[in-house]
Amino acid sequence: MTDRTRLALLLAPALLVLGGLFLTGLGLTLLRSFRYMPALGLTEPDLAAYAAILTAPGFLASLAFSLWVAAASTLIAAVLALAAALLLRQTFPGRAVISFLVQLNLTVPHIVGAIGILYLFSQSGSFARLAHAAGLITTPAEFPILTQDPYGIGIILLYVWKELPFITLILLANMQTLGEDHEAVARSLGATRWQAFRHVLLPLLMPSLLAASALVFAFAFGAYEVPLILGAHAPKALPVLAWQASTDTDLATRPEAMAMAVVIALIGCALLAVYGRMLAKGGAGAR
């Protein structure tokens, strides 16, 4: 028996349990999104729930808002994480302190961070009161609207703050695996520091960067707790709409909630497919 077979046998019970739970939940969600709920007298599946959410006022705005927040958060976090990884790759006084500060918020739950952002950056928060006490603004209400705003600034701030160390650690691990030999060869052949980074190091880091970014985007797009706390009344993030519909006392809204959950899942799967295709093209180009 090979080590791979032995490992597969050891993992099989856990994978069967987790796979069974996942497939059961997915199957029930799909059935309910097709309005198959015998307990409510719905025994003929149809697409009425999907038609209802797609034509509902504000659905497309919520979808666009969720995509905007996820894309902006991922892009900003990825750029800052790449810069942080390049900095922490070097040896300099205070590196350990900066590395500790970058990783510190990994242990902070998203909902705790969201409440912290609310207390700090809202118009009634600490920074608004400090600005008022310093005479920078006449009333706290003049403080810029950074939470519950239609652009999702507070949500983006939280996601960038939380996901930056996650991407940074992945890039640092990749850099340690790669070493500096590739860049040294490029520099010995006359490449500048920027050219060595742009044409040698960045392509080597791109698979890891894309993988981490895909995970961050999928999480930011599908999570509801942060937009629920920091988001505006309108437009609401799509996961917030799905959560509100699923917790409504009117059980007739459950199929629509399940339909929105399926839409969110399909967009996540599409993202993974795009990532896989980009990775395959990158591998083919490298060959």
Side-chain angles (χ1 to χ4, degrees):
M1 182 182 295
T2 63
D3 292 340
R4 180 172 296 181
T5 303
R6 188 178 295 108
L7 179 61
L9 290 175
L10 290 173
L11 292 176
L15 292 177
L16 286 174
V17 172
L18 294 176
L21 292 173
F22 172 76
L23 292 176
T24 300
L26 179 61
L28 290 175
T29 299
L30 286 172
L31 287 175
R32 291 176 180 176
S33 72
F34 293 138
R35 288 171 51 86
Y36 182 78
M37 300 177 67
L40 299 181
L42 301 174
T43 57
E44 297 183 3
D46 55 40
L47 297 175
Y50 291 94
I53 64 171
L54 291 175
T55 57
F59 174 81
L60 293 180
S62 294
L63 175 59
F65 178 75
S66 295
L67 289 172
W68 151 251
V69 167
S73 303
T74 302
L75 180 61
I76 296 172
V79 172
L80 293 179
L82 181 59
L86 291 173
L87 174 64
L88 294 175
R89 187 191 190 194
Q90 311 298 323
T91 301
F92 56 89
R95 178 182 179 275
V97 176
I98 295 177
S99 179
F100 172 76
L101 293 176
V102 168
Q103 302 176 47
L104 180 63
N105 59 336
L106 280 173
T107 59
V108 180
H110 283 79
I111 192 168
V112 175
I115 295 173
I117 292 286
L118 189 64
Y119 279 127
L120 290 175
F121 291 97
S122 67
Q123 289 185 308
S124 60
S126 300
F127 290 159
R129 296 182 183 184
L130 288 174
H132 172 62
L136 300 177
I137 54 178
T138 56
T139 64
E142 293 181 0
F143 192 76
I145 302 176
L146 300 177
T147 61
Q148 282 98 28
D149 66 292
Y151 302 104
I153 296 176
I155 304 173
I156 294 171
L157 282 174
L158 186 278
Y159 282 143
V160 170
W161 178 71
K162 274 294 296 176
E163 310 309 333
L164 187 151
F166 169 72
I167 303 177
T168 301
L169 290 179
I170 291 177
L171 292 177
L172 277 174
N174 196 9
M175 288 181 183
Q176 290 176 356
T177 302
L178 293 172
E180 299 184 5
D181 293 342
H182 301 83
E183 296 170 271
V185 171
R187 294 295 300 275
S188 68
L189 294 176
T192 64
R193 185 180 296 272
W194 166 252
Q195 289 172 333
F197 165 75
R198 171 66 180 83
H199 299 289
V200 178
L201 181 59
L202 186 58
L204 292 173
L205 292 176
M206 193 56 67
S208 297
L209 184 59
L210 287 176
S213 298
L215 292 175
V216 169
F217 183 95
F219 177 83
F221 181 75
Y224 77 91
E225 67 272 23
V226 173
L228 182 65
I229 295 173
L230 297 176
H233 178 71
K236 295 179 180 179
L238 189 57
V240 174
L241 290 182
W243 176 79
Q244 290 177 337
S246 66
T247 56
D248 197 312
T249 54
D250 184 5
L251 295 181
T253 63
R254 294 296 172 85
E256 296 179 11
M258 299 300 112
M260 283 187 275
V262 171
V263 169
I264 294 171
L266 287 176
I267 292 176
C269 290
L271 172 67
L272 292 177
V274 170
Y275 162 70
R277 198 167 177 185
M278 292 174 64
L279 194 60
K281 287 183 177 180
R287 290 193 298 267

